[in-house]
Structures are given as structure tokens and as C-alpha cells.
């Protein structure tokens, strides 16, 4: 059986990851591949418990190293319990955020060492990397306006514009460093316009062995 493809969807909050992932899944399904949708942090019962620990609002100060290590603890569980077995079974996986989010948020956003993140990435993933990373990109003000419409904000969503600007710039730098893997989609326009661009990206992936 051919190994499935691992597609990650990234971007700042509110750019439309959740909205567009179902569209991507339907296109892959229509091409005749099994497709699973998952997310990070989370994706298995234990990893979802770690997600709650990470996202819950709390009065206790959260140490940056604790946040970074919990992201990778959740990822290790998700990768070994869910992602790798599904891919070897031939399924495609669309994942709402993965390790690029750690570089963007904990690295560029919080200022944690990118070299330490790379060490943890190699420890948890060895050489495993996404086949394609779709970066939904929009100005921070647009993303935050859309995210706020949804109601109560989690611990990350309460960060300020300067933080999200660093995260967005970080993603764009990661995309520039990894052009073979990244596809940037302009997420500023209407949903139909965004999905036209996504169609081209997914069609190209489906057509690639
Ligand atoms: N995090 C981290 O720090 N490090 C890591 O390694 C990982 C994660 C993996 C949880 O992520 C948090 O964890 C996240 C980063 C951190 N921080 N935050 N905040 P998450 O992915 O679960 O949560 P999120 O980023 O907050 O996702 P989101 O806010 O749900 O955004 P979204 O999925 O990109 O947006 P959406 O829900 O699809 O759309 C938002 C609204 O906009 C909704 O009402 C849509 O109908 C609307 N929308 C979407 N597209 C459009 C267009 N094109 N036009 C108009 N309106 C639109």
C-alpha cells in the first residue's frame, strides 16, 4: 500500500483553518483517497488532555519552557498513536497546525530558542516532516476580528497584536526557508476566493505521486 500524504494547515488565529480544512478533506475524498482530519495540540485522548492544559485560562503564570515541552509531549503521543499508523495504512492526513506552529508561536512569538525547538523536533519526529504545509496568510487585524466573533478567547487568543505580528512574520520566514514544502494562500478575501486557491494546491498534490 502507498503511504498517505501528511498535509498541515497553518496561520494565525481566525485566518480560516477550521473553515477550510473540511473543504480540503472533501477534495481528497473525492479523488478516492481515505482522509483523516486531526489537530494540534491534540488528536488523541491523552494529547487532547494536554491541549486543555495548554489552552485553559489560568491565574498561575505559565513558564515558557513548560508550554514548549507540553506542545512536544502532545505531538509525540499524536504522532505515534495516530499520524504514523494512519499514513502507513495509506490514509492522507490533514492536520490543523503542527511543528511549524511551535516555531511560529513559541519561537518567533515568545522568543524561545529556535535551535532548542529544532532539537525537540528531531527528538520527537526524527526525519518526519509534512509533505505539504499550507499557510493561510492574512493581516493580523483581519484574523483577530474574525476570531473574536466566535466568543470567549483562550489563553493564546488573549495575546496582543505585537505577538501575533511576530507569529505571522515567523510563518512567512519559515515559508521562505522551506519553499519545497510551503504553499502560501492569501486568506484575506471571501471564502470562495480562498477555496479557489486551495483547489489548485490540492489538485497539484493529488497529481503528484
Ligand atoms: N499553538 C502553539 O502555540 N504552538 C503549537 O505548536 C501549536 C499550537 C500546535 C490552538 O490552536 C492554539 O495553540 C493556537 C496556537 C497554539 N493559538 N491560538 N489562539 P487552534 O488551531 O486550535 O486555534 P486557533 O488558531 O485559535 O484557530 P481558530 O481561531 O479556530 O482559527 P481558524 O481555524 O484559522 O479560523 P476559523 O475558525 O476557520 O474562522 C474564524 C471565523 O472567521 C469563523 O467565524 C469563520 O466563519 C470566519 N471566516 C473564515 N474564513 C473567512 C473568510 N475568508 N472571510 C470571512 N470570514 C471568514
Amino acid at each position: 500500500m502507498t503511504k498517505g500524504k501528511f498535509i498541515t494547515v497553518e496561520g494565525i488565529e481566525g485566518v480560516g483553518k477550521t473553515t477550510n480544512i473540511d473543504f480540503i478533506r472533501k477534495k481528497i475524498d473525492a479523488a478516492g483517497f481515505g482522509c483523516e482530519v486531526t489537530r494540534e495540540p491534540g488528536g488523541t485522548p491523552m494529547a487532547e488532555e494536554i491541549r486543555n492544559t495548554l489552552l485553559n485560562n489560568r491565574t498561575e503564570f505559565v513558564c515558557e519552557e513548560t508550554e514548549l515541552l507540553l506542545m512536544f509531549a502532545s505531538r509525540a503521543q499524536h504522532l505515534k498513536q495516530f499520524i504514523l499508523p494512519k499514513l502507513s495504512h495509506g490514509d492522507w492526513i490533514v492536520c490543523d497546525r503542527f511543528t511549524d506552529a511551535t516555531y511560529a508561536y513559541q519561537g518567533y512569538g515568545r522568543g524561545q530558542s529556535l535551535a532548542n525547538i529544532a532539537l525537540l523536533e528531531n527528538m520527537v519526529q526524527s526525519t518526519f516532516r509534512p509533505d505539504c504545509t499550507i499557510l493561510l496568510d492574512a493581516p493580523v487585524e483581519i484574523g483577530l476580528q474574525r476570531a473574536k466573533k466566535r466568543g470567549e478567547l483562550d489563553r493564546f487568543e488573549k495575546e496582543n497584536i505585537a505577538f501575533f505580528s511576530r507569529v505571522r512574520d515567523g510563518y512567512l520566514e519559515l515559508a521562505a526557508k522551506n519553499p519545497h514544502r510551503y504553499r502560501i494562500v492569501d486568506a484575506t478575501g471571501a471564502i470562495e476566493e480562498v477555496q479557489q486557491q486551495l483547489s489548485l494546491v490540492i489538485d497539484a498534490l493529488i497529481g503528484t505521486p
Side-chain angles (χ1 to χ4, degrees):
M1 176 154 327
T2 324
K3 189 180 150 294
K5 285 199 164 100
F6 183 54
I7 301 167
T8 57
V9 183
E10 300 279 0
I12 57 163
E13 13 291 305
V15 283
K17 296 179 298 299
T18 312
T19 307
N20 288 303
I21 278 176
D22 193 47
F23 173 80
I24 296 173
R25 182 188 58 74
K26 283 185 181 140
K27 277 200 71 84
I28 296 170
D29 268 348
F33 299 103
C35 182
E36 297 274 355
V37 169
T38 187
R39 67 174 180 183
E40 290 219 344
T44 77
M46 185 175 173
E48 288 288 327
E49 284 180 29
I50 300 173
R51 176 188 178 89
N52 291 336
T53 301
L54 277 161
L55 267 59
N56 282 350
N57 286 305
R58 56 184 74 245
T59 47
E60 181 181 352
F61 168 76
V62 179
C63 176
E64 289 178 0
E65 289 81 1
T66 307
E67 185 177 280
L68 175 63
L69 291 168
L70 283 175
M71 288 296 173
F72 273 104
S74 152
R75 183 159 301 133
Q77 192 66 18
H78 189 205
L79 191 63
K80 274 146 210 172
Q81 287 296 313
F82 184 84
I83 296 173
L84 294 178
K86 291 282 178 194
L87 289 175
S88 35
H89 180 257
D91 290 327
W92 287 41
I93 296 186
V94 183
C95 191
D96 189 340
R97 299 189 183 282
F98 195 62
T99 306
D100 294 280
T102 312
Y103 281 102
Y105 282 77
Q106 281 64 52
Y108 292 91
R110 300 256 194 252
Q112 287 278 292
S113 144
L114 299 182
N116 281 347
I117 296 174
L119 275 177
L120 290 166
E121 180 181 38
N122 290 335
M123 185 186 113
V124 168
Q125 297 169 218
S126 185
T127 57
F128 179 80
R129 300 291 181 272
D131 293 293
C132 175
T133 296
I134 298 172
L135 175 59
L136 293 172
D137 180 58
V140 171
E141 292 75 11
I142 292 186
L144 292 184
Q145 258 168 28
R146 288 181 190 163
K148 273 187 191 138
K149 275 198 235 144
R150 275 178 331 200
E152 209 192 325
L153 302 179
D154 66 33
R155 198 170 62 79
F156 287 92
E157 288 166 339
K158 287 191 170 152
E159 288 293 341
N160 58 31
I161 294 223
F163 173 82
F164 289 114
S165 298
R166 289 196 298 279
V167 172
R168 183 189 182 202
D169 292 347
Y171 270 127
L172 291 169
E173 202 170 307
L174 291 166
K177 280 188 198 159
N178 298 281
H180 57 287
R181 167 164 76 82
Y182 261 86
R183 297 292 173 269
I184 301 179
V185 166
D186 180 2
T188 314
I191 293 177
E192 301 70 38
E193 291 171 44
V194 176
Q195 293 184 346
Q196 269 174 14
Q197 299 173 65
L198 282 170
S199 276
L200 297 177
V201 173
I202 301 304
D203 287 345
L205 277 172
I206 288 167
T208 315

